[in-house]
Amino acid sequence: KEIGEAVNSSPTLVGDRFYVFDEKGVMHIIAATEEFKELGKAALGEPVRASPAYLDGRIYIRSVTKEGVTNLYAIGKK
């Protein structure tokens, strides 16, 4: 199933969910089941063209703004 947006990052399986960032910076959360089921979306607000990393309860996301500035975000537990 297509999510309807351009994607440059790799989908990541964490537990029973796939996390897919589109180029606009929206994370699509998809159930890892035979039938397509989108569980939710979360917008970062900046374009994402790299695969996120997951470690110790955090997600690390690298974005690139229109001006070419690269930002790194760590979201999750301290």
Side-chain angles (χ1 to χ4, degrees), residues 8 20 25 34 40 46 61 66 74:
N8 280 335
V20 181
E34 288 186 29
E46 295 178 0
I61 306 162
K66 293 177 185 177

Side-chain angles (χ1 to χ4, degrees), residues 14 53-60 74-78:
V14 180
Y54 300 82
L55 180 67
D56 295 332
R58 290 188 188 154
I59 178 174
Y60 295 88
I75 301 169
K77 299 176 186 177
K78 278 190 164 185

Side-chain angles (χ1 to χ4, degrees), residues 25-41:
V26 177
M27 179 193 321
H28 301 262
I29 305 165
I30 301 166
T33 58
E34 288 186 29
E35 185 175 321
F36 180 84
K37 182 177 181 184
E38 188 168 54
L39 302 173
K41 295 180 186 181

